[in-house]
Every structure is written in structure tokens, then in C-alpha cells.
Amino acid sequence: MRKRIAVIGGGIAGLAAAVRLRDVHPGAEVVVYESGPALGGKLSTGELGGRTVERGAESFLNSAPDGGESAAVALARRVGLGDALVHPAARPAALAFGGRLAPIPGGTLVGVPGDLSTLDGVALPASGADRDTGRPLLAPGADVAVGALVRERFGDEVVDRLVDPMLGGVYAGRADRLSLRVTMPQLAHTAETEHTLTAAVRAAQARGRRVPGRPVFAAVVGGMSRLAGAAASASGARISLGAPARELTRTGKGLWKVVSGPVPAPRTEEFDAVILALPAKPASRLLSEVAPEPAAAVAALDYASVALAAMALPAGTGLPDLSGFLVPPGEGTLVKAATFFTTKWPHLAREDGPVIVRVSLGRSGEEERLQRDDAALLETARRELSDLLGVGLPVPAAAWVQRWGGGLPQYAPGHADRIAAARAGLPEGLALAGAAFDGVGIPVCVASGERAADDVSTFLKEIA
């Protein structure tokens, strides 16, 4: 009998799971439930000034830690977009503090330096920093906050001026609250054997096999929404948009019953296996009936809210020759990062076209500062950007604001162990995928979806 699998969540993790299911279990019927009006989740492409400008994730890592292609690149090739991959220009990024832009020091790992001599002008390491104590930095399997480890070894300035803005740019969180094992798994691994943090950083960097000449990042011509659409087509799945899954229960026959759609007109279907590719809270609600303990563990994950403001400035507006900059939290601005979009991505630049800047606003704990209307947010972004650059920027010809309320998971120390325990407590035929569980970034989410698909496919073959 043909097996049926539900994928609940139409973000990139759920879509990657659906594609993998098509490959490893081609005879299965796959249904993707998405509560919103469009697929892709944080992969959302917009338009500004006649250019494609992402409203969510703008790029993904080009390489995996082992030197091969990242899971996102492999997925793009699998769904027919290999020839549509583009790469950013070779432009440096900067840190904005004290009324100036300073180059980000080279040789760091998400801001954690492997050579303290490179930090001149950015951060002053603590006196006698990083002494060898004769024992590894971390016990096997242990986890700490990134900030706690770096402050202990290098002092406060390295965290506040370098690590915090780097982590904030990715997670919108603070280094003192983010798990080392989730945000920097390679460093957590080498910290189990190395006695100094500089040695652990260098060892982690040596483990990552960088291919000479290969760009660090990639994107898709036409926008990330193309990747979501191509994955949906390649999966052959039935897509149910605007159909939130409201209930998940187990039938007496060992099947999974999914109730979706509006309360007045529910739709009930039964499946042999289910993948939950959802944020933590909706995933927890669906788990509550079938796996109460995993549901409680998943529900504990916090999120940060952020907003993006994109501005089309007049052609010829002068900007530094940078891809963008990051802002340490100590500067007090709502702006935490800026990308000079038409400088960073050459395929979007036109000599007579607009100069497009995208600004990221808000960090964990700053939700109240985002609670103003779009016009006020845009004006704040333009004013702060002008101050940080030291030039008065003109009023944009066009602009938009994209809000991601509760959009970025905040992984407290111990997150990986909590999620491992939650997964171990799931009934067979049920799997979890996505940023809530395995980390942010398109390659991580793709790999998470693919692992979930492999897990349920193995289960289906065992019961066949």
C-alpha cells in the first residue's frame, strides 16, 4: 500500500524534507501543510527600485565544513538552479563604533580571534589573556554561553566590540546568552582538547577545509523565493497553503491524524509518518497530545524579533566601498547591521540605477523598540545610518519594512542536549526539522529537513 507522509511547515526545512522524501521513498505520497499564503518561510523575496531585494535571508554558505558543497548549494543543484547561483563581490565588512568604521579583523571565527595581535584598534584583550591552565577549555559534551567563555579568556572588550556584533548579525542575540555548541559547533569540539581559546580557534579553522578561490556565500538570481518554489515543484508534493495544522493525534491503527484548515471547515487526513518543520511554539502545541515531555522541552525555546528596512537611494549616492557593517550593542542604536545591497551583489547594480541599502533593526530583548509604525522605523533607520556613516543620506525614493516577529531562535546553553532528549522521546514515525531544533542558516535547515526525511523513510521501510 502506498505510504503517506505529512510535512507540516513549508519553510526551507520542510521543503528540503519533501524533496529528500521524493528521492529516498519515491512511491510515497507527500503533503506539505503551510499555514501562510506562500512557501519559503524566512526565504521571502521582494522588489525595490526595480531590483530584487530579499525580505529575509539574503544568502547561504557556499561550502560545508568538510570543504564540499553546502547542503543549500546541493539542494539548489538538485532542483535545477545550479546555473542561477551568484556570489557577492569581494568587498570587506566593517564594525561601526565610536563614530567611525573599522575593518573587521581577519582570522576570527564568528568574531572569536585566533590571533590576539590582529585586534589593534578594535578591541583590547584583557591583561594576561588566554593563559594555558593545563587542562582543556571544555569537558566532553559540555556547553557554555559564548560570551562566558570569551570573556573569561579574552576579556570584555573582545566580546562587546567583536563577538557580540558578529553573533547579533546572525542571531539577533547576545553572546552571553547563546550556546557555544549550537552557534559554533566546531569551536566547541576543539575546546574539548585545546588548553587556550586561541589554539581552539585555530584548530577549528584548520578542521574547516576551505577550497581556495571558492566564494564564502552564494545566492540565487531572482531571489530566494525561487529556491522555495523549485523545491516544491521537485518534491512532487501536494501543497496545502493557508492550511494550518491544528491537531496531531494517533489513531488506533498506529496512523497519524492531522486536522488542518479553519475551525468551521476542518480537513482530516491520516498519514503513516509526520515531519514537523515548524517554529518551537506551534511544534510544541502539535506535540502536546502525542509527546508531552518533548513538547515541554521544545516550548522552552525563546525567540528574538527583528525588522528589516530597505531603502532605494538616488543613483550616485556615495557609500563606503564595503559590503556593509555591523554595530556593537554598546552603541545603543536600533540598527544592528547594514548591507550595501547593490555594492555587495554585482548582478543587482546598474550605473544609473538606485543605490539600495538594507538595514537590520532590533536585538533580543528590544521588542518594544520595534513597536512603532513603518514610517517611524524607516526614519530611525535612515537617521542612525547617516550618523554611523558620518554623512547625511538623502530621503529614499522608495522603501519598505519587513517585520519578523519572533523570527530568530535564541539557543541557550544546553539547547542541543535538550533537543536530543526531545527527539529521543518521540514516537516512531514522527520527526522534527528546522531552525528551532538544529540552528539558523539555510544549509543547516536544509540538512535538518533531509535528516528528518531519512529518519521517517527508514521507519516506513521497516514497517513495509
Side-chain angles (χ1 to χ4, degrees), residues 27-252:
E29 179 187 357
V30 179
V31 179
V32 175
Y33 293 92
E34 169 52 45
S35 61
L39 295 170
K42 304 298 185 302
L43 274 63
S44 177
T45 302
E47 182 274 339
L48 185 66
R51 302 288 180 266
T52 297
V53 180
E54 301 296 344
R55 287 179 169 265
E58 68 165 276
S59 63
F60 45 78
L61 286 170
N62 204 29
S63 298
D66 64 3
E69 291 183 337
S70 74
V73 171
L75 177 65
R77 296 194 190 283
R78 164 65 182 83
V79 302
L81 294 179
D83 293 338
L85 297 177
V86 291
H87 309 287
R91 295 285 191 280
L95 291 165
F97 60 87
R100 65 190 179 96
L101 295 176
I104 294 177
T108 71
L109 184 65
V110 198
V112 185
D115 182 354
L116 294 176
S117 69
T118 66
L119 303 185
D120 184 41
V122 173
L124 181 65
S127 176
D130 207 28
R131 290 176 176 151
D132 187 341
T133 61
R135 64 179 184 275
L137 299 173
L138 282 185
D143 194 13
V144 296
V146 175
L149 177 62
V150 181
R151 287 186 195 281
E152 177 188 354
R153 305 303 301 185
F154 295 157
D156 292 340
E157 273 202 10
V158 175
V159 175
D160 297 340
R161 290 190 162 201
L162 190 54
V163 180
D164 239 352
M166 295 287 278
L167 281 175
V170 178
Y171 299 95
R174 300 300 298 266
D176 292 320
R177 301 183 193 127
L178 289 170
S179 158
L180 178 72
R181 199 159 291 278
V182 176
T183 61
M184 301 186 205
Q186 301 96 332
L187 183 58
H189 179 78
T190 57
E192 295 178 356
T193 56
E194 300 294 339
H195 294 188
T196 66
L197 186 52
T198 50
V201 170
R202 291 194 296 268
Q205 291 169 332
R207 287 171 58 89
R209 298 176 184 174
R210 178 83 183 274
V211 177
R214 178 184 289 176
V216 176
F217 296 102
V220 177
V221 171
M224 291 297 181
S225 291
R226 282 189 70 195
L227 180 60
S233 296
S235 74
R238 191 187 92 213
I239 307 296
S240 292
L241 294 176
R246 295 188 288 103
E247 296 178 27
L248 177 66
T249 55
R250 203 75 182 268
T251 72

Side-chain angles (χ1 to χ4, degrees), residues 358-421:
R358 195 181 78 159
V359 177
S360 182
L361 304 159
R363 301 172 178 85
S364 177
E366 295 185 343
E367 286 75 15
E368 287 188 3
R369 297 183 69 188
L370 295 174
Q371 292 175 5
R372 58 189 82 177
D373 63 29
D374 287 0
L377 272 184
L378 283 166
E379 180 53 31
T380 296
R382 188 179 73 89
R383 185 185 71 252
E384 291 187 352
L385 188 59
S386 295
D387 291 343
L388 290 163
L389 293 174
V391 296
L393 294 178
V395 175
W400 50 248
V401 170
Q402 173 69 55
R403 298 173 189 267
W404 294 108
L408 288 172
Q410 302 296 291
Y411 309 105
H415 172 85
D417 287 342
R418 289 189 291 273
I419 294 304

Side-chain angles (χ1 to χ4, degrees), residues 297-320:
V298 170
L301 181 64
D302 286 331
Y303 282 77
S305 296
V306 295
L308 298 173
M311 295 174 279
L313 304 175
T317 299
L319 294 174

